[in-house]
Amino acid sequence: MDLAGIDHLAMSVTDVERSTRWYMDVLGFERRYEGMWDGIPVFIGQGPTAIALFPLEAKASRRSSNPAGPQMLHLAFRTSAHGFQAAQRELQQRGIACAFEDHGIAHSIYFCDPDGHKLEITTYELPRP
């Protein structure tokens, strides 16, 4: 197989339009493929990264019945050192709580979208000692 990368991540959300607005406003995503599939899923993205937002199915949740079973742990976005600092300031200005972690080879901040999906912004461009 010759794969170019991940095309998109499909996520279920409680309110598709609210999540669409949040990802567009907070992360600068844009709508893609408007007018397709009767509006569901809503595709949003920035550069090569895309997310397909589906409404949460109340009757038949697709989550594993086993809490230790498969699950999405987080969605990570890569940025430059400058973009990382700007993202931290932007989240703080918006009142979005985030947690910093030093992974040795990378720095990351973690925060949640309106449905509690854990998101990460990471940079491998670390300050030199």
Side-chain angles (χ1 to χ4, degrees):
M1 285 185 222
D2 182 20
L3 304 176
I6 295 173
D7 180 69
H8 68 274
L9 170 71
M11 292 181 4
S12 59
V13 296
T14 56
D15 184 325
V16 171
E17 282 306 313
R18 177 187 70 176
S19 292
T20 299
R21 287 188 305 274
W22 190 89
Y23 277 89
M24 291 173 70
D25 186 44
V26 174
L27 298 181
F29 278 33
E30 298 174 343
R31 280 186 185 257
R32 296 183 176 170
Y33 314 116
E34 287 189 76
M36 304 293 294
W37 312 291
D38 295 325
I40 298 295
V42 170
F43 267 79
I44 55 175
Q46 182 185 96
T49 301
I51 300 174
L53 299 172
F54 289 85
L56 180 66
E57 297 175 8
K59 291 183 182 178
S61 175
R62 294 184 182 182
R63 293 185 182 173
S64 171
S65 59
N66 175 1
Q71 56 184 297
M72 183 183 90
L73 300 178
H74 64 269
L75 171 60
F77 302 97
R78 186 183 311 170
T79 190
S80 65
H82 175 76
F84 186 77
Q85 295 299 322
Q88 288 182 89
R89 286 190 303 272
E90 174 80 14
L91 292 170
Q92 183 180 30
Q93 289 170 353
R94 291 177 178 275
I96 297 172
C98 65
F100 173 86
E101 286 193 32
D102 182 344
H103 300 293
I105 63 165
H107 287 172
S108 298
I109 49 174
Y110 295 90
F111 57 103
C112 293
D113 76 0
D115 282 292
H117 294 109
K118 190 173 183 180
L119 306 175
E120 173 187 358
I121 296 177
T122 191
T123 184
Y124 292 89
E125 297 177 9
L126 302 182
R128 297 185 189 258

